[in-house]
């Protein structure tokens, strides 16, 4: 329509792009470390001509990682690690303004999700960035030629690393993978502070529950569960921790939490939050003991931690949506509520990790990708730790953005403490 007003569809697309661009810019303002890396990448071009495929949550924070990689010279394609977390406006802005190829729409079905993974592998990527190992597993299909051709991959989440280590043990892993999830940056800041806050945010947005004085059961006291338990305690909840690892359980106890088995916690809890990575953590025997009105949510990567099949089998009819994202199951004499169908609640019901936390995590991702590119495929297939230098660099940059200066060891202290040389 030359000279005329844009059509309805074109106008909606441009509104969507503008909204996405605004979100990306807002997140960028909270991500000074990644900004510093983007500026350095733009000068040094460590990824010039490198094809990078990423399977990540399509959010404004991810968009800023894509921008940093593109500034370093990478050709980036992106698909969604979880269709429920896709921000369509961000995807539109990434395509229109940052030249990335994006495959994914909020709420897409499994078939569309699978197609998106294949689209990325079809582009013969040299480096993969994964969150749940689905893309890496996809590269291993059909004989694994795509995986064998990789310079390497990075993995963002604990559940992804479980899968990759199982492949490694079976000698089926054909590329080097950097375990970004296990970098200190990720475990301390991302999992503890990011997952902790955003998990409660998701539950509160969906339910507007008062946490003060409420019995909150956190199942799993790992990197992420610690954060959930801490934040719930900070909001005034009476927190109970359930664990299977005796050391983690003891640590929780010494942090002041009540610790008990899930069976003992079942009749006590008012809110249950699974964050273990394991399947069927809450199941029939627990549902049978829960009190009327108990609320169940999952912050683990996959929707396997709350056994919805067993819950449905106990219920007198199909679940009823009592609020958007809250399903009610009617059991004899009781109702149990499940948030976001047991899917990862901080993404399904809230905006995921705050940008300031993803700043650190994605800064580590960007540096890990650059390390894979500069190693030029020299690493052996297998899961490798991220170099300590990456954590130090990310923390140093973050401190600098906060205007915080710290001391340095004197030469004499250095010799005394590190007789075998500096660690970074
Ligand atoms: N929602 C998010 O944004 C987010 C962020 C980080 C991690 N995750 C996911 O959360 C899960 C846990 O991640 P993590 O990094 O904390 O892992 P982790 O390995 O550090 O901790 C998991 C803990 O759960 C415990 N556990 C395992 N099975 C259990 C069971 N049946 N009952 C009670 N405790 C049990 C383990 O002993 C361990 O201490 C994974 O699925 C991970 O991918 C989600």
């Amino acid at each position: 329509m030359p000279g005329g007003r844009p059509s309805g569809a074109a106008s909606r697309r441009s509104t969507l792009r503008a909204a996405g661009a605004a979100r990306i810019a807002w997140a960028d303002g909270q991500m000074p470390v990644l900004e510093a890396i983007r500026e350095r990448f733009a000068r040094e071009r460590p990824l010039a001509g490198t094809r990078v495929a990423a399977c990540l949550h399509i959010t404004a924070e991810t968009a800023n990682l894509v921008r940093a990689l593109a500034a370093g010279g990478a050709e980036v394609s992106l698909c969604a690690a979880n269709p429920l977390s896709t921000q369509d406006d961000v995807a539109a802005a990434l395509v229109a303004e940052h030249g990335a190829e994006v495959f994914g729409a909020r709420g897409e079905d499994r078939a569309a999700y699978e197609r998106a993974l294949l689209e990325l592998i079809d582009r013969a990527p040299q480096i993969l960035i994964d969150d749940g190992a689905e893309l890496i597993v996809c590269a291993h299909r059909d004989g694994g030629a795509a995986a064998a051709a990789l310079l390497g991959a990075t993995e963002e989440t604990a559940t992804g690393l479980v899968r990759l280590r199982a492949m490694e043990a079976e000698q089926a892993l054909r590329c080097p993978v950097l375990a970004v999830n296990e970098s200190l940056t990720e475990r301390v800041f991302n999992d503890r502070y990011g997952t902790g806050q955003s998990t409660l945010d998701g539950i509160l947005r969906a339910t507007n529950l008062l946490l003060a004085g409420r019995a909150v059961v956190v199942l799993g006291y790992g990197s992420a569960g610690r954060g959930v338990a801490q934040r719930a305690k900070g909001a005034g909840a009476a927190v109970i921790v359930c664990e299977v690892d005796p050391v983690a359980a003891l640590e929780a106890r010494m942090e002041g939490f009540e610790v008990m088995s899930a069976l003992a916690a079942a009749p006590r809890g008012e809110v249950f939050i699974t964050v273990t990575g394991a399947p069927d953590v809450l199941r029939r025997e627990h549902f049978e003991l829960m009190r009327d009105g108990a609320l169940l949510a999952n912050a683990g990567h996959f929707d396997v931690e709350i056994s919805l099949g067993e819950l449905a089998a106990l219920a007198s009819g199909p679940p009823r949506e009592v609020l958007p994202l809250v399903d009610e199951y009617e059991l004899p004499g009781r109702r149990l509520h499940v948030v976001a169908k047991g899917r990862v609640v901080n993404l399904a019901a809230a905006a995921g990790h705050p940008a300031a936390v993803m700043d650190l995590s994605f800064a580590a991702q960007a540096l890990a990708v650059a390390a894979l590119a500069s190693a030029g495929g020299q690493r052996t297939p297998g899961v490798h730790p991220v170099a300590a230098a990456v954590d130090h660099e990310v923390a140093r940059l973050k401190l600098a953005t906060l205007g915080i200066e710290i001391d340095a060891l004197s030469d004499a202290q250095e010799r005394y403490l590190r007789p075998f040389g500096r660690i970074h």
Side-chain angles (χ1 to χ4, degrees):
M1 203 170 19
R5 290 191 308 157
S7 70
S11 150
R12 273 195 299 280
R13 271 199 303 278
S14 115
T15 308
L16 197 66
R17 279 200 300 270
R23 269 207 227 223
I24 295 171
W26 174 261
D28 189 37
Q30 316 283 315
M31 302 180 85
V33 177
L34 201 55
E35 183 186 2
I37 290 172
R38 183 171 74 227
E39 285 167 3
R40 190 203 310 158
F41 275 13
R43 286 193 304 276
E44 299 174 1
R45 305 280 289 172
L47 301 170
T50 309
R51 292 182 301 280
V52 177
C55 178
L56 293 167
H57 299 288
I58 302 179
T59 61
E61 294 77 29
T62 298
N64 283 306
L65 171 61
V66 170
R67 290 176 67 199
L69 299 173
E75 294 164 24
V76 188
S77 51
L78 175 67
C79 72
N82 181 337
L84 282 182
S85 60
T86 298
Q87 295 168 349
D88 289 332
D89 52 358
V90 166
L94 258 178
V95 173
E97 300 190 13
H98 300 292
E101 277 196 295
V102 182
F103 301 89
R106 191 175 184 88
E108 68 190 353
D109 62 14
R110 181 79 203 177
Y113 169 73
E114 288 274 337
R115 275 198 305 278
L117 292 172
L118 292 173
E119 287 281 2
L120 261 57
I121 298 301
D122 278 352
R123 276 149 185 74
Q126 294 156 293
I127 296 178
L128 306 183
I129 304 176
D130 217 339
D131 187 337
E134 298 264 295
L135 187 59
I136 300 175
V137 168
C138 186
H140 281 77
R141 286 190 198 153
D142 303 327
L150 291 169
L151 297 173
T154 66
E155 174 53 50
E156 173 81 9
T157 191
T159 289
L161 285 175
V162 169
R163 296 175 80 181
L164 294 168
R165 290 212 164 93
M167 288 169 71
E168 187 179 18
E170 291 162 9
Q171 301 189 331
L173 188 61
R174 303 193 61 184
C175 60
V177 179
L178 294 183
V180 173
N181 175 265
E182 290 169 1
S183 66
L184 272 181
T185 309
E186 179 86 16
R187 293 193 85 67
V188 176
F189 304 111
N190 190 331
D191 293 356
R192 193 180 305 165
Y193 302 109
T195 313
Q197 176 175 309
S198 60
T199 294
L200 294 187
D201 184 20
I203 294 171
L204 297 184
R205 285 195 204 192
T207 63
N208 198 20
L209 213 67
L210 178 69
L211 286 174
R214 214 171 275 268
V216 173
V217 180
V218 178
L219 298 109
Y221 194 73
S223 304
R226 274 182 182 80
V228 176
Q230 273 181 6
R231 289 294 168 265
K233 182 180 176 183
V239 178
I240 297 170
V241 169
C242 303
E243 250 297 340
V244 293
D245 177 330
V247 176
L250 185 58
E251 191 188 343
R253 179 67 201 144
M254 293 212 182
E255 271 301 315
F257 298 114
E258 266 198 277
V259 177
M260 62 187 73
S261 70
L263 269 182
R268 298 261 314 265
E270 295 170 275
V271 177
F272 294 82
I273 306 169
T274 54
V275 58
T276 69
D280 303 325
V281 176
L282 289 178
R283 48 187 185 269
R284 183 185 183 108
E285 59 191 354
H286 306 114
F287 305 140
E288 283 174 336
L289 296 173
M290 286 178 187
R291 56 164 93 173
D292 183 29
L295 187 85
L296 283 58
N298 167 51
H301 189 79
F302 289 116
D303 55 353
V304 296
E305 306 208 11
I306 303 170
S307 177
L308 290 184
E310 291 190 359
L311 185 53
L314 280 177
S316 54
R320 195 166 65 90
E321 189 180 70
V322 287
L323 283 176
L325 291 171
V326 182
D327 287 341
E328 182 176 279
Y329 289 76
E330 185 94 40
L331 273 59
R334 289 160 314 131
R335 294 150 306 143
L336 300 184
H337 295 129
V338 177
V339 184
K341 303 191 185 310
R343 291 177 176 143
V344 57
V345 70
N346 57 337
L347 285 154
H353 291 170
V357 159
M358 292 315 295
D359 186 27
L360 306 179
S361 177
F362 282 167
Q365 280 283 8
L367 295 178
V369 168
L372 284 171
S374 79
Q378 294 303 303
R379 284 176 194 272
T380 50
V383 178
H384 300 273
V386 171
V390 167
D391 280 321
H392 287 269
E393 175 70 359
V394 171
R396 229 190 322 264
L397 286 169
K398 179 67 183 177
L399 287 170
T401 68
L402 295 170
I404 295 173
E405 287 183 17
I406 61 170
D407 296 316
L409 291 173
S410 68
D411 286 346
Q413 287 169 329
E414 187 80 51
R415 282 193 299 278
Y416 182 91
L417 290 171
R418 297 174 184 155
F420 302 111
R422 283 172 178 272
I423 55 163
H424 58 96

